[in-house]
Amino acid sequence: MVADTREQAQEQISELVKQLNGWAHRYYVEDRPIVEDYVYDKAYRELIELERLYPDLILEDSPTQRVGGQILSGFEKKEHEIPMLSLGDVFSKNELEQFDQRLSKMLVEKVDYSCELKIDGLAISLIYKDGVFVQGSTRGNGVIGEDITENLKTIKAIPLRLTEPVTLEVRGECYMPKKAFVGLNKKREEQGLPVFANPRNAAAGSLRQLDTRVTASRQLSTFIYYLMEPEKRGLRTQTDVLKQLHNWGFKVNLESQQSKNMEEVFKYIDEYQTKRADLPYEIDGIVLKADDLATHAVIGNTVKVPRWAIAYKFPPDEQETVVRLIEWTVGRTGTVTPTAVMDAVQLAGTTVARASLHNPDYLKEKDIRLLDTVKLHKAGDIIPEVSEVVLTKRPANSKPIEIPAECPVCNAKLVHLDEEVALRCINPKCPALVKESLVHFASRNAMDIMGLGPKIIEQLFAKQLVSDVADLYHLTFEDLLKLDNFKDKSANNLLTAIDNSRHNSGERLLFGLGIRHVGAKVAKLLMVHFKSLTKLVAAEEKEIAQLDSLGQVIAMSIVTYFNNTEVKKLIAELADVGVNLEYQGPNTGASVNNYFSGKKVVLTGTLDQLKRAAAKEWLEASGADVVGSVSKKTNIVIAGHDAGGKLTKAENLGIEIMSEQQFIEQMEAVK
Ligand code: IVH
């Protein structure tokens, strides 16, 4: 879709922005996506192209304005017109009863409550002018916060434009979902960076980034729960406020509930204390608010907290246990990580006996020793973490743990690269490293070799059947029969899975190589641009760095990797054994051997069930080249009814012909 005139471009830009924002709203605000990623990506790329041609037509609520890129020099102070209050805490149901009694005494009418989850993030304030997001800030000390508008713009759950042109201020919580937190810490551990203690710290750190691209990459989200001057909108209860916030396009927590009495409140607490571990974000309690807004003025505030609301904090889920062993393991990138092995305890619904201690600095800082009694909790409700040592229970003769100087697997000398906190084994032949890289190579987002898990790899390695990823493609039936419990069928299945992986689209291979800083997303981006691994190998650092502003660090890591003679040999060997090095088009990543991938397809005649544009879009997304006329080069003709000359020509040329129904069946088959 290319616009011929400025007017057309303007119209298309506005349409695309509306469509993309609608899809993003469904995905990020409502958690109910309606389109596949590739459909979004395609429209997004069209928008980028139009905006490149007509930069002055870029709309302020365009999704392209969320990617970050500004390097800020610092954060301006922002004075809150009305202070951002905090909440009083209570830790028992008894204290909640007292709170309820206090309110009941002050008010004539019976008190209803809005029960809400207490999201463990940090408070933010958002200001909209005529429906457009203009300024956002942190709470700071409640009176003066920091202007973090540019960082907040990168958060997809924050609408850049509301459904109505209203001027208002709202407040809510910015948080990092548990999954994002776990992923971020895992990546940081691998990269030798310090990890965040919990999702709240991670969210806070992410919001205060001067490079807004970093914020954009952190997958933050928000729940908005407070509207200033609600009476101006004729809203009478907090429950109505939440509904109205939702209608304006804000992400509102849907677990809130109106309660008529303390019995219902206690039920809500008990319910969410149980559900807590399964929620995708961390909560540290529930918030009870008098639902009737008119009463807020009557009840009033103290200097710091409102008297009409209170936070009930969940008791911390913490257990004491004894450390029996510190285990040192070598990861895929050579990081040597200490893990505390402890007596098993029950924690937030699971049995826990191990906790990563991340890196030597962390271990030293916490000074965890053998036979120490430690307090264990779950960060982000998921990752077991040692919170502290119970020093009063420390055995008299204990000594600090010694940090190993040599790799526990290959005995090579360990190093600290640059300023990293991580300890690394940099011996490329270290068996632990090689094994981990094989596991990564075979994993789902990489080459997706079914049945080739860590245990099989361990055996292949121990029996010296493989020493690098290319060796996998030399494995024979007889080789596989040497593995424990392997019979004809299992050997055949694994051989077929390995064999099939040769045809994967190139980004899977690129990701599978395990180059530092090249995750699945970066791998895809690189292959979409370079089309072939061979071209990427030959690419200049500058070209890579400029691509979608990947930057110097990633570019350097890639160039350094491909400059290595061993790597060059490995790539040549992979090509030799028939592993595909090319990019095979969008949406080929998940379904290997896509029927239409790389084929020239002609659509002709009238389709009954599908819109032609949709069929075309789907085919292109599957890697097909949809062309207008039939020639010798055409691979498939999809013929609706009343197909004329093109169908005849295809028949004469002996080209594969598919009915609409057959086409739909193929579409279903590769979904
Ligand atoms: S209401 C005057 N509602 O908890 C309104 N706060 O410990 C005060 N928080 O500063 C806030 N979830 O950052 C409110 N549903 C919720 C909340 C919530 C989390 C945070 C907020 C507040 C802190 C107090």
Side-chain angles (χ1 to χ4, degrees), residues 120 181 185 196-201 276 282 315-321 342 345-348 350 352-356 358 362 366 374-389:
D120 201 6
F181 167 70
N185 263 2
F196 289 108
N198 52 49
R200 180 167 24 88
N201 286 6
R276 180 182 178 190
E282 197 164 54
D317 205 349
E318 213 173 46
Q319 294 286 339
E320 284 191 9
T321 181
M342 296 153 293
V345 283
Q346 280 296 113
L347 207 57
T350 61
V352 180
R354 304 167 63 83
S356 175
H358 310 299
Y362 185 95
K366 298 236 159 170
V374 292
K375 286 188 181 165
L376 198 61
H377 74 280
K378 277 190 182 167
D381 285 342
I382 305 178
I383 311 175
E385 279 261 341
V386 173
S387 16
E388 58 178 324
V389 174

Side-chain angles (χ1 to χ4, degrees), residues 72-88:
L72 312 170
S73 54
F75 298 103
E76 303 270 318
K77 295 265 170 283
K78 153 80 184 153
E79 190 168 343
H80 303 298
E81 241 172 73
I82 298 178
M84 285 180 79
L85 300 180
S86 174
L87 287 171

Side-chain angles (χ1 to χ4, degrees), residues 27 176-186 199 218-219 279-282 380 382-383:
Y27 187 93
M176 182 176 285
K178 289 176 188 171
K179 217 168 133 195
F181 167 70
V182 173
L184 174 65
N185 263 2
K186 193 167 158 233
R218 294 284 173 84
Q219 301 173 54
L279 292 170
Y281 43 84
E282 197 164 54
I382 305 178
I383 311 175

Side-chain angles (χ1 to χ4, degrees), residues 85-87 116-119 123 173 225-226 287 289 306 308:
L85 300 180
S86 174
L87 287 171
E116 299 171 20
L117 300 184
K118 188 168 179 319
I119 314 298
E173 204 78 355
Y225 47 68
Y226 185 80
V287 182
K289 299 177 183 171
W308 44 265

Side-chain angles (χ1 to χ4, degrees), residues 35 43 74 171 175 183 187 242 277 318 334 341 357 393 405 433 553 637:
V35 293
R171 292 170 181 177
Y175 68 95
K187 212 164 104 191
L242 293 176
E318 213 173 46
V341 183
L357 303 176
K393 297 191 182 170
L433 234 88
V553 177
V637 170

